[in-house]
């Protein structure tokens, strides 16, 4: 359990690190480039993100699961069987990308500068380290690279003419970070001796099957930005994209728990009654903690959005305030559904049941975007995203209803809903006490958090009982 908790912490740290560069630089670059140029950046990155999904071929899920299941002596062979699929996909995608940009696209510079990104995705083998539960040393190295790029942005990017420079720094830093994964990997493989390197057709079939839901995910996580950029203006796209960035960072922290728990869940034999009870308990605890944390973070983002947008992005981005308030609503259903999808459906290899919610979500999202974005721009895209996320969550629950006692897992949800409503109302009622926007957010967040803790114990939630039991245990030891 100690190792699991340690991995949760370091995986969460890694998720924060890979996003902290744009987070910290956002206030700076939003004032330098403005809404139009940032919209161009968002449009290009949305395309690269879509290609990333195709290159990785589901290795973040399939690779993590198969490496976790493999014996130590077989890890090297299993790794190369999986990575050769990623390599082949990367070569095809990169070649087609270069061909299309060279002959059919204008403003080629902003597209050519993304090539290191594509190569970085070919080299991305973080799934191997997630599978073996050893990520600490890699994270330290990647942190150095990422913060190096952060420093470069502040030192070199000085005016709106430096857009290509800014995009290049982000692209190349990702490439360098993924090279460090290989340094650690090759050192480990030296101890294994001779490793069989081959291409696996069975793994390819699984990867292609897994690509279907991932394609669907990208439709409303990345390609939706491409649609907004095509159907509306780049300024509207900038509002739509920037309002989501903070929410996505919060989500990456919450869902990192699922990424670490997935290898553990994959080892639980649901055919055994004792293991089945253990799985039910693990999922119940994971759902409760994840849901309650996500609801707290949702409230903090919603009630601070008005001050946060002005303080963080600048006055030019004030029109996107309501986008940020409402897009925060996707945190809870995404986090809750992610636990069920990653820790059960995917961990147990139920790829069909994993795929269905995403496919349905992609269809819903495309239809809603085509209807709402031309009329309401970023606001329409935000509405489409919220509806899609709630639909996907409902589908995720529905497809696994036969395997789990969902009534038991969700037994605390009524209490959580009341707590959420109470702290949300409180958060919006708290006025600004001082002139500083930042201090007002700190004060408001502190009050909401304290009341949140009080309500957890007042409603006698399972989480409050866990903390009470832990405190009693510590007292007995001392």
């Amino acid at each position: 359990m100690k190792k699991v908790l340690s991995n949760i912490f370091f995986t969460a740290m890694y998720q924060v690190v890979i996003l902290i560069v744009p987070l910290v630089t956002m206030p700076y670059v939003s004032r330098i480039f403005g809404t139009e140029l940032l919209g161009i950046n968002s449009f290009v990155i949305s395309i690269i993100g879509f290609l990333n999904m195709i290159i990785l071929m589901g290795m973040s899920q399939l690779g993590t699961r198969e490496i976790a299941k493999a014996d130590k002596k077989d890890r090297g062979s299993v790794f190369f069987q999986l990575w050769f699929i990623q390599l082949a996909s990367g070569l095809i995608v990169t070649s087609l990308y270069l061909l299309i940009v060279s002959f059919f696209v204008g403003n080629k510079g902003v597209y050519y500068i993304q090539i290191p990104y594509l190569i970085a995705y070919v080299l991305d083998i973080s799934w191997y380290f997630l599978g073996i539960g050893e990520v600490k040393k890699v994270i330290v190295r990647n942190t150095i690279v990422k913060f190096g790029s952060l420093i470069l942005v502040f030192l070199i990017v000085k005016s709106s003419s430096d857009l290509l420079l800014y995009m290049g720094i982000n692209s190349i830093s990702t490439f360098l970070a993924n090279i460090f994964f290989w340094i650690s990997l090759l050192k480990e493989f030296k101890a294994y001796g001779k490793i069989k390197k081959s291409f696996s057709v069975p793994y390819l079939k699984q990867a292609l099957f897994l690509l279907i839901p991932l394609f669907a995910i990208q439709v409303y996580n990345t390609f939706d930005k491409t649609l907004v950029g095509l159907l509306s203006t780049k300024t509207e796209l900038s509002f739509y994209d920037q309002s989501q960035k903070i929410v996505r960072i919060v989500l990456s922290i919450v869902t990192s728990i699922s990424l670490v728990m997935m290898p553990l869940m994959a080892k639980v034999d649901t055919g055994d009654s004792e293991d089945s009870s253990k799985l039910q308990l693990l999922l119940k605890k994971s759902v409760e903690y994840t849901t309650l944390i996500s609801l707290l973070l949702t409230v903090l983002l919603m009630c601070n959005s008005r001050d946060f947008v002005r303080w963080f992005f600048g006055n030019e981005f004030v029109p996107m305030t309501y986008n940020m308030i409402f897009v925060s609503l996707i945190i809870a259903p995404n986090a809750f559904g992610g636990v069920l999808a990653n820790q059960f459906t995917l961990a147990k290899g139920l790829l069909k049941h994993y795929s269905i919610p995403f496919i349905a979500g992609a269809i819903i999202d495309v239809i809603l975007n085509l209807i709402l974005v031309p009329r309401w721009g970023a606001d329409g895209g935000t509405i489409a995203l919220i509806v899609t996320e709630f639909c996907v969550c409902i589908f995720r629950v529905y497809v696994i209803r036969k395997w789990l006692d969902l009534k038991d897992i969700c037994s605390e949800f009524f209490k959580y809903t009341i707590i959420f409503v109470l702290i949300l109302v409180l958060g919006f009622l708290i006025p600004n006490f001082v002139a500083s926007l930042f201090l007002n957010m700190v004060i408001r967040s502190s009050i909401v958090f304290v009341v949140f803790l009080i309500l957890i114990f007042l409603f006698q939630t399972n989480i409050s009982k866990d903390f009470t039991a832990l405190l009693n245990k510590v007292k007995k030891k001392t």
Side-chain angles (χ1 to χ4, degrees):
M1 181 57 71
K2 183 178 179 181
K3 186 174 182 179
V4 171
L5 292 174
S6 174
N7 284 339
I8 288 174
F9 170 77
F10 281 107
T11 306
M13 176 183 170
Y14 178 63
Q15 295 298 319
V16 173
V17 166
I18 61 175
L19 288 167
I20 203 168
V21 171
L23 174 63
V24 174
T25 55
M26 245 186 284
Y28 180 69
V29 298
S30 63
R31 287 164 174 81
I32 288 180
F33 297 128
T35 57
E36 181 72 18
L37 291 179
L38 277 186
I40 293 172
N41 179 65
S42 297
F43 182 74
V44 176
I45 292 299
S46 71
I47 296 172
I48 297 299
F50 195 77
L51 297 179
N52 165 33
M53 173 271 302
I54 299 174
I55 291 173
L56 286 176
M57 290 289 288
M59 290 303 150
S60 297
Q61 292 79 22
L62 176 64
T64 300
R65 188 188 75 207
E66 294 303 318
I67 293 297
K69 289 165 57 179
D71 294 330
K72 189 172 183 179
K73 61 182 177 62
D74 298 324
R75 280 180 189 164
S77 299
V78 171
F79 166 79
F80 280 106
Q81 287 176 9
L82 292 163
W83 183 70
F84 282 156
I85 296 171
Q86 184 176 327
L87 175 62
S89 174
L91 291 174
I92 295 170
V93 169
T94 304
S95 300
L96 289 174
Y97 177 84
L98 285 171
L99 180 66
I100 293 171
V101 170
S102 298
F103 293 99
F104 303 104
V105 176
N107 196 12
K108 300 182 189 302
V110 296
Y111 294 94
Y112 281 137
I113 203 67
Q114 307 304 324
I115 292 173
Y117 257 136
L118 297 178
I119 299 173
Y121 294 139
V122 177
L123 299 176
D124 185 357
I125 53 170
S126 56
W127 45 269
Y128 174 84
F129 293 94
L130 286 172
I132 65 174
E134 296 290 342
V135 296
K136 181 179 177 180
K137 57 187 178 182
V138 179
I139 287 171
V140 172
R141 291 171 178 172
N142 286 353
T143 301
I144 295 172
V145 172
K146 290 294 183 180
F147 279 107
S149 67
L150 174 69
I151 294 169
L152 283 175
V153 168
F154 285 110
L155 289 178
I156 300 175
V157 178
K158 298 295 183 182
S159 69
S160 59
S161 61
D162 293 331
L163 179 63
L164 279 179
L165 193 57
Y166 170 68
M167 298 171 84
I169 290 172
N170 290 329
S171 178
I172 293 170
S173 67
T174 304
F175 169 75
L176 292 175
N178 286 341
I179 285 179
F180 282 125
F181 278 119
W182 282 88
I183 295 173
S184 297
L185 179 80
L186 295 176
K187 284 182 180 180
E188 181 174 333
F189 280 179
K190 279 184 180 180
Y192 291 175
K194 189 175 181 179
I195 296 173
K196 183 180 178 181
K197 301 179 178 66
S198 62
F199 189 91
S200 171
V201 175
Y203 279 148
L204 175 61
K205 291 179 179 178
Q206 291 185 58
L208 288 172
F209 192 84
L210 191 57
L211 193 62
I212 296 172
L214 292 175
F215 183 89
I217 293 170
Q218 287 299 317
V219 167
Y220 64 88
N221 275 354
T222 302
F223 191 63
D224 61 334
K225 299 177 182 66
T226 307
L227 283 175
V228 173
L230 291 172
L231 299 174
S232 188
T233 66
K234 294 300 184 290
T235 297
E236 286 292 316
L237 171 58
S238 185
F239 293 154
Y240 179 74
D241 183 42
Q242 300 303 318
S243 65
Q244 285 187 44
K245 273 191 167 65
I246 307 300
V247 173
R248 295 295 179 189
I249 289 170
V250 171
L251 268 173
S252 70
I253 298 170
V254 177
T255 55
S256 65
I257 298 174
S258 285
L259 291 174
V260 174
M261 291 295 289
M262 186 172 68
L264 178 65
M265 296 294 189
K267 295 176 182 178
V268 178
D269 182 8
T270 50
D272 183 273
S273 59
E274 186 177 339
D275 274 0
S276 183
S277 298
K278 179 183 177 183
L279 178 66
Q280 177 81 16
L281 179 61
L282 285 171
L283 275 172
K284 181 179 173 66
K285 291 295 181 185
S286 186
V287 163
E288 288 177 347
Y289 280 88
T290 301
T291 302
L292 204 52
I293 291 170
S294 65
L295 289 175
L296 171 64
L297 294 173
T298 299
V299 171
L300 293 178
L301 283 175
M302 291 181 75
C303 66
N304 285 309
S305 288
R306 287 187 177 89
D307 290 338
F308 184 82
V309 170
R310 285 191 294 157
W311 172 75
F312 193 79
F313 293 99
N315 291 329
E316 189 178 355
F317 288 81
V318 168
M320 80 173 192
T321 299
Y322 285 103
N323 294 106
M324 188 167 176
I325 290 175
F326 289 108
V327 80
S328 301
L329 291 170
I330 72 171
I331 295 174
N334 195 302
F336 169 69
V339 171
L340 300 179
N342 293 319
Q343 295 182 32
F344 181 77
T345 314
L346 188 58
K348 295 303 160 192
L350 302 170
L351 297 182
K352 178 182 177 182
H353 298 81
Y354 179 79
S355 305
I356 291 171
F358 293 119
I359 296 170
I363 295 170
I364 292 169
D365 187 69
V366 170
I367 293 172
L368 290 177
N369 270 296
L370 291 173
I371 295 171
L372 301 177
V373 171
R375 185 171 182 179
W376 291 313
D379 295 336
T382 299
I383 294 170
L385 179 63
I386 294 169
V387 173
T388 300
E389 289 290 0
F390 274 93
C391 288
V392 169
C393 183
I394 292 170
F395 289 134
R396 279 171 162 175
V397 173
Y398 182 78
V399 297
I400 62 166
R401 67 196 185 283
K402 296 179 181 178
W403 285 277
L404 299 170
D405 184 354
L406 293 168
K407 186 177 180 180
D408 174 58
I409 289 175
C410 303
S411 61
E412 296 272 283
F413 275 30
F414 181 69
K415 294 179 182 179
Y416 296 164
T417 302
I418 296 174
I419 293 172
F420 171 74
V421 172
L422 290 174
I423 60 175
L424 180 63
V425 172
L426 172 67
F428 278 110
L429 289 177
I430 298 173
N432 285 351
F433 293 98
V434 293
S436 170
L437 294 173
F438 178 77
L439 287 179
N440 277 312
M441 288 189 289
V442 171
I443 294 170
R444 186 180 296 109
S445 299
S446 300
I447 295 172
V448 168
F449 181 69
V450 170
V451 173
F452 168 76
L453 291 179
I454 293 172
L455 290 174
I456 286 177
F457 284 90
L458 188 64
F459 280 88
Q460 296 184 334
T461 63
N462 288 335
I463 292 176
S464 69
K465 294 173 184 176
D466 290 344
F467 278 111
T468 302
L470 180 62
L471 289 173
N472 291 334
K473 190 175 181 180
V474 171
K475 286 180 181 178
K476 287 180 180 179
K477 287 185 177 181
T478 55

